[in-house]
Structure formats: C-alpha cells, structure tokens
Amino acid sequence: MPYAEGQTVLRRYVRDGRYTWVQPMRVVRDDAAGLLLWHPAGSEYARVVDADGNTQHELSLDLMRDPRLLRQPWLDYDILVLMPPDTAYSVWWFFADGKFAGWYVNLEAPYRRHDDGVDTVDQVLDVRVDPDLTWRWKDEDEFVALTGHPLYFDAATADAVRAVGEQVIALAERAAYPFDGTYVDFTPDPAWPVPRMPAGWDRPDARP
C-alpha cells in the first residue's frame, strides 16, 4: 500500500545487517513516479559514528570501534528527495532559505518498503548538480578505496554503480526530468510539523 500524504516515514541505509543512517521524512506523494519525501532543516537524523567520532567517510564499518547511531540535527538545507521505484539512485533537491540550490544524486540500491519506512544500501559514490546543470562526482576517492571491500562492493558492482551515475548525468546534461525545473519552486504544506524520530527508530538490526 502507498504511504499517505503527510505521513512520517523513516528513510534508512543498511550495511552488514545494521542501520547506518536513519532519517524521518514527510511523505509528499507516493505513486508510480516514485516516493517523494520532505526533510527540512531543523529536523533530526542519525548516522553511524564510532567511539572515536569517526563516520564511514573516515573508516569502513568493520574498522569502527563500537559503532552506534548518533542522533543529531539536520542543518543548512531543506531537502526534497525522490526515490523512483526499482531505480538505483535517489535525487535530492536542495533549498537554502526557501531558494533552490541544486541537486544531489545519491547512488543506492533500489529501496525496500516496510510499514514504517524504506531501506536501501548507500553505494558511496554520488553526483552534485548545480542549478546551471554543471555536475561533478562526489566521494569518488572513497568509492575507489572501498571497491573490493567485502562489506561494500566488488569491481563489477562498482562499474554498475558508476554506469547508473553516468546515465543520470546524461539526463542533467540534456536538462531532462528530473533536471528540467520540476519541483525547484516546491513549498511544503505549512501545516506539517517538523518530522521527528518515532519510538523504536534506533533498533540495531536491519530487516531482511
């Protein structure tokens, strides 16, 4: 069943059978075009951090000492996130003080639905697209370093991830949907409260 407009769902990343990212988001729409979610600055989220303060940008999950989900505020940008069905990426619209500030393409596994949200696997490599449609890879060095790591992806999977990124880049270069001006003037329902973590958000195990 589709999620209801205005419902809060959890968008989560999974790695090695545990959640590494949990983000409460407001449902804007949920239909054949995809799941569209809203997360304003001032909301909260959680990411995996180890006892020394390292994130997965500094250490792979297996090298972290006592990793745990750390709840923290979401700062700087409001984001609108589109998760197309059966697609290995999501597209984020960034807004700063209500003004569109560019897109972010998060390369990730096709998402799986649960009653309380969606789970996916972050593939490390991302793409930033500016409002003028210029683009650049993000976290490419990290992506290369993790290729072949047993908890991340082998070389064939890494090639497939990059190929998906190149397909989305081609859409941006043509100013094709979703880089055609859609949603750049989006405003949320003013009646929506800031989404918060619901009870049970921090369970340690990821669902199959």
Side-chain angles (χ1 to χ4, degrees):
M1 295 292 293
Y3 301 117
E5 181 181 349
Q7 179 180 351
T8 296
V9 298
L10 295 176
R11 174 179 151 84
R12 297 169 292 215
Y13 296 156
V14 178
R15 179 78 58 196
D16 194 32
R18 67 181 298 155
Y19 289 120
T20 60
W21 177 282
V22 181
Q23 193 168 23
M25 306 192 76
R26 189 76 58 188
V27 175
V28 178
R29 56 186 292 181
D30 185 14
D31 53 28
L35 178 60
L36 189 64
L37 302 170
W38 174 251
H39 189 81
S43 303
E44 54 187 356
Y45 77 111
R47 69 190 303 182
V48 71
V49 176
D50 76 359
D52 302 308
N54 295 302
T55 72
Q56 288 188 95
H57 287 296
E58 289 79 45
L59 290 176
S60 58
L61 187 60
D62 59 311
L63 296 180
M64 287 184 164
R65 185 169 67 89
D66 189 24
R68 66 197 187 284
L69 284 168
L70 178 65
R71 194 169 177 170
Q72 52 197 290
W74 180 263
L75 304 174
D76 299 328
Y77 293 103
D78 303 325
I79 57 170
L80 186 68
V81 176
L82 176 65
M83 303 179 72
D86 304 315
T87 301
Y89 63 87
S90 61
V91 179
W92 306 18
W93 284 253
F94 283 11
F95 297 88
D97 298 322
K99 183 178 179 181
F100 175 65
W103 298 269
Y104 185 94
V105 180
N106 198 75
L107 299 172
E108 60 193 45
Y111 67 87
R112 294 169 293 152
R113 290 175 177 262
H114 300 296
D115 290 344
D116 56 356
V118 292
D119 293 356
T120 184
V121 179
D122 180 60
Q123 302 289 26
V124 180
L125 185 64
D126 304 305
V127 182
R128 291 293 303 265
V129 182
D130 292 333
D132 65 0
L133 299 177
T134 57
W135 61 269
R136 58 196 177 278
W137 294 107
K138 182 178 181 294
D139 299 328
E140 192 168 17
D141 291 347
E142 184 180 340
F143 178 72
V144 171
L146 289 170
T147 299
H149 191 294
L151 294 187
Y152 291 81
F153 27 75
D154 58 20
T157 302
D159 287 345
V161 169
R162 188 179 292 273
V164 170
E166 290 170 347
Q167 292 167 11
V168 182
I169 287 166
L171 295 176
E173 290 178 334
R174 301 199 308 271
Y177 179 82
F179 307 102
D180 60 351
T182 301
Y183 298 130
V184 297
D185 57 354
F186 175 81
T187 56
D189 186 330
W192 286 347
V194 172
R196 300 296 184 191
M197 295 289 197
W201 70 270
D202 56 347
R203 64 175 182 270
D205 57 321
R207 299 179 184 182

